[in-house]
Amino acid sequence: MKEARTLNPAIFNNLREQVIGRWIDKEAQARGESRWLPGILEQVKRNSPGGTISREGILAPYPAAQERIAFQLKSLRDAGVALTLLTIRALMIAVITDMAPEVYEVQAKDGSCFKCSESFVRKYLRKTLGWSERRATKAAQKLPVNLQEILREAFLREAFLIRDYSIPAALRVNTDQTQLVYQQGSDRTWNLAGEKQVATVGQEEKRAFTLVPSISASGELLPMQAIYMGKTSISCPSPWAAGYDHAQELGFQMLPSMTTTYWSTQETMRTLVDTIIAPYFERKKQELGLPQTQHSIWKIDCWSVHRSRSFREWMKENHPNIILVFVPGGCTSVWQPLDVGIQRVLKLSMRRSAHRDIVHEVSSQIEEGVEHIALDTTLGTLRNRSLQWALNAIADVDNQQLILKSFEMCCVGPDWNLSQASLTSPSALEALRNLPRTNKPFYDELCGLTPSTCSEFPPGSEVEEQPFTDSPEDHSDVPIPVLINTLTGQSPDGFLMSTDGSLERNSMAECEGIGEESPDL
């Protein structure tokens, strides 16, 4: 089923495992043999048009280019480099533009021209090289069985705080962490079909860093923090890395974790609050003409560092006017604005930037006549490059409409969401007024809330979150606006959702014109 959908998503998108199961010869399967039922084979034979296939691939007239592509890919494969679609596509484009540039001028029957889409690359690898993709799978997050009840109470708890402490949208901030790997897509590679053991450089190490974004309910993107594994500033991007000065201007923090991981720690979280979160709140209070005693809301998830007593006590002592609101455990994928609307765009932007770097690196080596293409995957190089990736991602997600939509997409029932308009709506206020009659225990709990007691994570949040949450990995040739439109409920032409939830071009994409996206290919 997966193979069929990969070959032609438009045709086989509705194909199901149960249907394929009915085509299998069960008696042969019991004997340890894999066979189709004779009747199915006969049906296939009748439906087959017969004859020979005369259609040639678009690269058929360029055997030298094909040989060069195969040689370079096999060289990288033998060296243990993870051959992701991102890497392969970059190399193919570089070779084609160098040895068969006229391919981009070949006109199709419908008037469009060739585009080296990821769909085309997949077909080429399977049919020409006999390769298949090997990827790891991850279990999806399990949502609580009483999800709607949990979210309803979380909504009313936040609406209660906003009402009683007169908290405007600008003083509501959500912070999250996301893991960003240096070698994008290192959990998958392409190799000869049927290979049992497949190893790649960096397969076990999974080098990465942590990016900590924050957004406000008024649509503002706060400065980001990045955590790198190491104990000195040498572990961070160097001052001569591309974009370093611009990062400093944006207030982009680069900190060593001081541990053997790249995860946020008590110290990095305190630095985040002291240098980014609290100063933002103070600045907004001045802009809005509010007193310094005005309270604000900071929404974080129930990860162990966030919910630890030492961190909560530190917040009470040092920032008593910041009210901690925890995302209920197990609900980050539906109730944390950054998870719902920002992280996926951020990761796609990083992937596209990494793709551009690979294209540039491979193209430069081809222009220099390098026989054996080798990608520089040293940690120092990738870490320095990642700074510009992060800056590009910041520019892509610094979109007020996208940020506001991220809060709106955190919904409970048909009428409520985490936007300021919904939390202060007449229906929300009416629900709060009716609580003594509809849910007296919960009403009593809310009456006992104070900025101090709010730092105790709410009931139902004893489920500890993982430091990072997974989101679908969208393909690098998906334009950022297309993903944003998809997340906000639109269905862009030429793209579809794959079985793992990621967005990719459909089977017709390779017939599209090059258009404005060509510089990124």
Side-chain angles (χ1 to χ4, degrees):
M1 181 188 68
K2 292 180 180 178
E3 185 78 6
R5 288 180 176 177
T6 302
L7 289 173
N8 196 321
I11 293 178
F12 297 114
N13 190 49
N14 293 324
L15 184 63
R16 296 291 180 266
E17 296 167 331
Q18 293 84 351
V19 174
I20 300 176
R22 293 197 292 270
W23 301 343
I24 296 174
D25 188 333
K26 303 298 182 184
E27 294 182 1
Q29 190 178 43
R31 298 193 299 269
E33 302 174 9
S34 297
R35 292 183 181 178
W36 301 113
L37 287 169
I40 294 296
L41 295 177
E42 285 297 321
Q43 184 178 351
V44 171
K45 186 176 181 180
R46 290 195 301 270
N47 292 339
S48 175
T52 59
I53 299 175
S54 59
R55 180 183 177 186
E56 291 185 329
I58 198 167
L59 294 180
Y62 308 96
Q66 293 196 68
E67 290 178 6
R68 184 65 173 272
I69 290 172
F71 177 77
Q72 300 292 7
L73 290 178
K74 290 175 182 177
S75 297
L76 292 174
R77 176 61 264 170
D78 293 342
V81 175
L83 292 179
T84 67
L85 277 177
L86 183 150
T87 306
I88 296 171
R89 185 164 166 262
L91 185 144
M92 288 183 67
I93 291 171
V95 173
I96 291 171
T97 53
D98 178 60
M99 303 184 68
E102 59 271 27
V103 163
Y104 285 101
E105 305 302 325
V106 174
Q107 296 296 310
K109 291 181 180 180
D110 61 356
S112 60
C113 56
F114 169 77
K115 184 172 185 179
C116 192
S117 69
E118 293 193 1
S119 175
F120 171 82
V121 174
R122 285 194 184 93
K123 293 177 183 178
Y124 182 84
L125 292 171
R126 288 188 172 91
K127 294 181 180 180
T128 305
L129 299 182
W131 286 14
S132 64
E133 188 177 22
R134 313 292 295 276
R135 75 169 67 189
T137 58
K138 297 180 181 179
Q141 181 189 23
K142 293 183 179 179
L143 297 172
V145 293
N146 59 335
L147 176 66
Q148 290 302 306
E149 178 185 349
I150 292 175
L151 296 187
R152 178 182 172 83
E153 291 193 354
F155 173 87
L156 292 176
R157 185 178 291 107
E158 198 158 344
F160 175 87
L161 292 171
I162 292 172
R163 184 195 68 179
D164 280 22
Y165 292 94
S166 301
I167 299 175
L171 296 185
R172 290 174 51 219
V173 166
N174 173 218
T175 295
D176 192 20
Q177 303 169 74
T178 184
Q179 172 186 250
L180 295 168
V181 297
Y182 291 116
Q183 290 182 274
Q184 298 286 319
S186 59
D187 63 339
R188 63 187 71 178
T189 189
W190 285 75
N191 197 19
L192 283 173
E195 285 288 322
K196 301 298 184 182
Q197 297 294 327
V198 180
T200 63
V201 172
Q203 182 181 29
E204 300 297 332
E205 135 183 83
K206 296 181 180 178
R207 296 172 295 176
F209 67 101
T210 296
L211 195 61
V212 188
S214 302
I215 55 175
S216 75
S218 59
E220 187 169 343
L221 179 70
L222 278 65
M224 293 191 190
Q225 183 187 74
I227 312 298
Y228 301 88
M229 183 176 69
K231 296 187 176 181
T232 68
S233 59
I234 298 177
S235 306
C236 303
S238 60
W240 53 86
Y244 189 89
D245 291 339
H246 183 45
Q248 296 292 309
E249 294 172 1
L250 294 177
F252 185 82
Q253 284 188 357
M254 293 167 277
L255 302 175
S257 65
M258 308 300 291
T259 67
T260 57
T261 74
Y262 49 84
W263 296 1
S264 291
T265 64
Q266 290 276 347
E267 290 305 316
T268 61
M269 286 300 296
R270 293 178 182 184
T271 300
L272 176 75
V273 177
D274 285 339
T275 60
I276 294 179
I277 303 299
Y280 165 81
F281 283 143
E282 296 306 313
R283 186 177 75 254
K284 285 301 172 182
K285 291 175 189 178
Q286 292 180 4
E287 292 177 4
L288 297 172
L290 298 172
Q292 294 303 301
T293 55
Q294 167 70 42
H295 289 89
S296 52
I297 288 178
W298 186 34
K299 181 190 289 287
I300 53 179
D301 60 36
C302 292
W303 184 43
S304 58
V305 172
H306 300 163
R307 54 178 276 186
S308 66
R309 178 172 295 278
S310 58
F311 182 69
R312 289 185 283 114
E313 292 297 329
W314 179 84
M315 285 293 298
K316 289 181 187 179
E317 180 179 350
N318 295 275
H319 301 280
N321 293 326
I322 298 179
I323 303 174
L324 286 181
V325 170
F326 288 90
V327 178
C331 301
T332 56
S333 63
V334 294
W335 202 244
Q336 177 151 251
L338 277 162
D339 259 349
V340 174
I342 300 295
Q343 302 285 38
R344 191 167 164 184
V345 177
L346 190 150
K347 289 181 178 180
L348 175 59
S349 178
M350 299 279 286
R351 186 170 294 110
R352 288 171 64 86
S353 295
H355 187 185
R356 283 190 287 268
D357 280 347
I358 293 174
V359 170
H360 177 73
E361 184 176 2
V362 173
S363 299
S364 298
Q365 293 185 48
I366 290 177
E367 291 176 1
E368 294 170 3
V370 176
E371 183 176 358
H372 295 278
I373 299 295
L375 299 178
D376 186 352
T377 60
T378 57
L379 179 58
T381 296
L382 294 175
R383 185 169 53 211
N384 283 346
R385 288 179 181 175
S386 71
L387 178 57
Q388 187 60 57
W389 304 347
L391 294 178
N392 294 341
I394 289 173
D396 284 329
V397 300
D398 191 8
N399 180 319
Q400 185 181 38
Q401 294 305 313
L402 172 62
I403 295 173
L404 292 175
K405 191 66 178 180
S406 299
F407 283 86
E408 291 180 14
M409 288 190 292
C410 297
C411 302
V412 52
D415 303 320
W416 291 343
N417 58 60
L418 285 180
S419 68
Q420 188 77 2
S422 182
L423 285 161
T424 58
S425 65
S427 64
L429 297 177
E430 181 181 8
L432 288 174
R433 288 194 299 270
N434 292 337
L435 274 180
R437 177 174 52 83
T438 59
N439 192 338
K440 186 64 163 57
F442 182 55
Y443 172 75
D444 293 339
E445 176 197 326
L446 292 184
C447 289
L449 283 182
T450 66
S452 178
T453 59
C454 279
S455 64
E456 300 300 328
F457 48 91
S461 293
E462 55 273 0
V463 178
E464 182 179 328
E465 294 289 350
Q466 295 300 310
F468 309 109
T469 54
D470 294 323
S471 61
E473 294 187 0
D474 301 287
H475 296 284
S476 61
D477 65 345
V478 176
I480 297 295
V482 169
L483 176 58
I484 292 175
N485 290 340
T486 302
L487 291 173
T488 55
Q490 302 180 44
S491 299
D493 294 335
F495 297 84
L496 52 79
M497 201 73 71
S498 64
T499 54
D500 64 356
S502 63
L503 195 64
E504 60 184 18
R505 293 183 182 272
N506 63 21
S507 58
M508 297 302 293
E510 64 200 68
C511 296
E512 296 175 354
I514 292 192
E516 62 181 5
E517 284 300 313
S518 58
D520 292 337
L521 296 182

